[in-house]
Amino acid sequence: MDNQIIQNPVTGYLNFISYAALAILKEILAESARSGKSVEELLDAAMIQTNTNADQAAALLARLKGE
Amino acid sequence: MQKIISILGVISSVTFAVAPQFTSLQPKTAAWLVLIGTTVTSASGALMKFGEDNKVITAIGVAVAVMTVLAGAADLLPANAVFILTVAGTALAAVGKSLFNFSSSDDNFPGNGGKGFIILLMLVAGVGSLTACEKDKEYAKTLDRVSGYVNAGIQIVDRQTGTGEMSKETGIVITTSLVQINELNRQLITVSQSYISKNGQRLELTGDGKTKILSILVSSRTIANELVNNPVFKAIPDAKRRQYTILIDDLVGTIASITELVTVAKEVKK
């Protein structure tokens, strides 16, 4: 069920604001890391992250289907 | 105080004008923020000194900046043109008022006020050169951003299914879509890597390469749209779906910007 945890609406909004703030901070840090790289380095970094994503997604799907 | 507010206004205008090049901030949002900066700049001095020296320059500067931002927000002008005209407008507004202590007695450029004007020109020129960074680099950055968005999506699904906030079925639907987008992004990266120049600084796309990339982008957009319209996804309560909606909006916006970059990329004949 999607509604197993009942939250106060204010807590929900606070959580969302915290999530958004952290996401923006993470994005700013990621952008500053990207700015000094060449095209080749950027594509290499993207490929490494893509491989990591594939591994994490496979593990997640295995967990969800196996439970 | 007036001078401090003026400087802050100019700094915020220039910062937000440049932000889309270095962050995921949408150009339109940046344009509105630039407008706020410009308004602060003009309000700090021009409104107080209106009727005194340089009012024509101030009025023209503010008008140029405001009209340019509005035109940019309405997609009437390309982003680079918006940037140049906005900063130029802000600069004119700044020059026309007290920021650089211009008055009728020291308007003899490059007199006392000339120093401030030269500093401002250097700032604008420096920032302008940064915004003119190569489209290939922006394209490569964008592929890296997509891989980051996919990872964020996986983390959210992992967390929400782990705490029981999301059902396993919903988690499987979203993760499957993320896997498909991740795979398409891998194809984009692989195709792009074969067009890297010898020095690693540029992409030398051929007509064939552009066609391949555009076709993959169409598939990516279709998957993102299918996810949004999936009944399982739509059944997620609003508060929890919001995180995904932001992510998908970013993803679709990013795909659109990549498509735009590839479409206008100059072809190299090999």
Side-chain angles (χ1 to χ4, degrees):
Chain A
M1 293 291 288
D2 277 337
N3 291 317
Q4 286 177 350
I5 293 177
I6 299 169
Q7 281 186 336
N8 181 327
V10 177
T11 310
Y13 281 113
L14 287 176
N15 283 341
F16 174 68
I17 291 168
S18 307
Y19 166 80
L22 285 173
I24 291 168
L25 185 62
K26 188 181 168 192
E27 195 60 30
I28 290 171
L29 289 173
E31 282 301 325
S32 56
R34 284 180 193 117
S35 61
K37 292 180 180 170
S38 68
V39 170
E40 187 172 21
E41 287 167 338
L42 284 165
L43 290 177
D44 287 344
M47 184 55 97
I48 290 168
Q49 182 62 62
T50 303
N51 289 335
T52 306
N53 292 345
D55 293 342
Q56 289 183 353
L60 178 59
L61 279 175
R63 176 171 74 75
L64 294 174
K65 288 176 180 173
E67 277 178 356
Chain B
M1 175 56 92
Q2 187 178 318
K3 199 171 186 176
I4 292 170
I5 296 172
S6 298
I7 292 168
L8 287 176
V10 172
I11 289 173
S12 75
S13 294
V14 174
T15 304
F16 286 120
V18 181
Q21 304 292 333
F22 298 103
T23 71
S24 59
L25 189 64
Q26 294 296 314
K28 277 187 188 179
T29 311
W32 285 110
L33 292 170
V34 171
L35 178 59
I36 293 169
T38 305
T39 308
V40 169
T41 308
S42 58
S44 64
L47 294 181
M48 290 171 70
K49 297 191 82 176
F50 229 75
E52 292 182 30
D53 303 326
N54 304 309
K55 67 177 180 183
V56 176
I57 297 177
T58 304
I60 292 172
V62 172
V64 168
V66 171
M67 293 307 291
T68 307
V69 170
L70 290 176
D75 285 338
L76 296 176
L77 284 174
N80 283 349
V82 172
F83 163 74
I84 293 166
L85 290 173
T86 306
V87 176
T90 306
L92 270 175
V95 167
K97 56 184 192 53
S98 63
L99 175 58
F100 299 109
N101 294 324
F102 271 26
S103 66
S104 54
S105 60
D106 59 10
D107 261 355
N108 300 323
F109 181 79
N112 292 334
K115 280 183 188 172
F117 187 63
I118 290 170
I119 291 170
L120 183 63
L121 281 182
M122 286 169 67
L123 177 69
V124 172
V127 168
S129 67
L130 291 174
T131 61
C133 68
E134 293 168 6
K135 297 286 180 192
D136 335 35
K137 192 167 178 183
E138 188 57 32
Y139 166 76
K141 275 185 186 179
T142 311
L143 292 184
D144 195 30
R145 284 182 197 125
V146 172
S147 63
Y149 294 149
V150 170
N151 189 261
I154 293 168
Q155 303 298 332
I156 298 171
V157 174
D158 194 23
R159 191 180 65 240
Q160 292 195 349
T161 52
T163 57
E165 289 178 90
M166 176 187 285
S167 70
K168 285 183 286 184
E169 293 73 22
T170 307
I172 290 170
V173 168
I174 296 175
T175 309
T176 305
S177 296
L178 290 172
V179 167
Q180 289 172 317
I181 290 172
N182 195 51
E183 190 48 44
L184 288 168
N185 199 39
R186 182 199 301 282
Q187 289 177 27
L188 281 175
I189 297 165
T190 308
V191 171
S192 307
Q193 280 177 326
S194 60
Y195 294 102
I196 294 176
S197 65
K198 283 179 184 169
N199 63 7
Q201 299 294 328
R202 292 187 54 79
L203 281 179
E204 295 175 343
L205 280 181
T206 61
D208 186 40
K210 275 177 76 167
T211 308
K212 277 185 202 168
I213 290 173
L214 288 172
S215 138
I216 297 169
L217 287 168
V218 170
S219 304
S220 301
R221 194 194 295 250
T222 306
I223 290 171
N225 289 337
E226 280 175 1
L227 177 60
V228 174
N229 294 314
N230 189 304
V232 178
F233 183 76
K234 282 183 174 174
I236 302 174
D238 282 350
K240 289 169 198 153
R241 205 173 62 230
R242 210 175 289 138
Q243 291 181 351
Y244 294 101
T245 309
I246 291 174
L247 198 64
I248 293 166
D249 284 349
D250 280 345
L251 203 55
V252 171
T254 305
I255 293 169
S257 67
I258 300 179
T259 308
E260 195 179 322
L261 285 170
V262 173
T263 307
V264 300
K266 201 174 175 181
E267 287 179 20
V268 174
K269 289 183 180 174
K270 281 193 174 176

